[in-house]
Amino acid sequence: MNSIKATVTHFRYKKHPGDLFRDTSVQLLPHPYKNQSEFWVWFHPSYHRSEDIADLNELYKQLQSFSCQKEIMGANPEFSYAGTSRERITEEIKLLEHKIYQDCFENFYLLLIEGHIELIENQQQ
C-alpha cells in the first residue's frame, strides 16, 4: 500500500494581536475559500470593527429577507417593495467579498513578511 505523506501547515501569531478574536495559539492555517469566515477572522486587519464585514452581514440579511418580501408582494399586489433588486444585492455581495478577501490576503502577506506570524509545517501520515 502506498503511503502519501501530506504536509499540514499551522501558524501562530508571535505576539498577541490585541483583540478578542485572535491569540498566540497554534492554529491550522485555514483555506481562504473553504474556511472563509475563519480565514477572515484570523487575517482581516480589523475584523471585529470592520464596516465592510458589517455591511456584508446586512446585505446577506437583505438577500435572505428578499424572498419573504416577494411572498408578501405576491399575496398583496398593492404592497410595493422599493428596495434593491435581488441581482443588485448579489452583485454588491460579490464586490464586497472580493474587497474583504483582498484586505485579508494583503494583511496575511504583510504579517508573514514582517515576522508577526510564523508558519509551522507538520508531516502527517
Side-chain angles (χ1 to χ4, degrees):
M1 176 181 269
N2 275 343
S3 77
I4 299 174
K5 292 184 181 180
T7 301
V8 177
T9 304
H10 291 79
F11 75 97
R12 75 173 187 87
Y13 280 83
K14 291 181 179 178
K15 181 178 160 187
H16 197 286
D19 59 45
L20 297 174
F21 291 99
R22 302 175 276 203
D23 58 22
T24 58
S25 64
V26 175
Q27 299 289 323
L28 181 64
L29 184 64
H31 188 282
Y33 301 108
K34 293 178 184 175
N35 302 68
Q36 176 190 40
S37 61
E38 198 174 330
F39 183 78
W40 288 3
V41 167
W42 282 105
F43 299 115
H44 192 278
S46 58
Y47 182 85
H48 63 286
R49 62 181 189 276
S50 170
E51 287 185 30
D52 290 338
I53 300 293
D55 291 346
L56 184 64
N57 289 334
E58 286 301 315
L59 286 170
Y60 272 114
K61 286 179 189 174
Q62 287 180 25
L63 190 62
Q64 186 177 17
S65 69
F66 193 85
S67 297
C68 296
Q69 292 168 352
K70 268 186 120 170
E71 288 176 20
I72 292 169
M73 285 176 24
N76 186 359
E78 294 86 38
F79 179 80
S80 64
Y81 175 61
T84 309
S85 72
R86 180 182 203 96
E87 293 77 23
R88 182 67 184 149
I89 293 171
T90 303
E91 184 61 30
E92 288 295 321
I93 287 172
K94 287 179 186 176
L95 291 171
L96 200 48
E97 283 183 344
H98 179 75
K99 182 184 181 311
I100 293 168
Y101 268 118
Q102 188 68 30
D103 292 344
C104 291
F105 286 130
E106 287 177 12
N107 190 50
F108 175 74
Y109 183 74
L110 287 173
L111 289 168
L112 194 58
I113 64 171
E114 292 176 357
H116 297 288
I117 62 172
E118 66 179 330
L119 298 180
I120 305 161
E121 291 186 17
N122 298 341
Q123 293 290 325
Q124 282 190 338
Q125 294 185 349

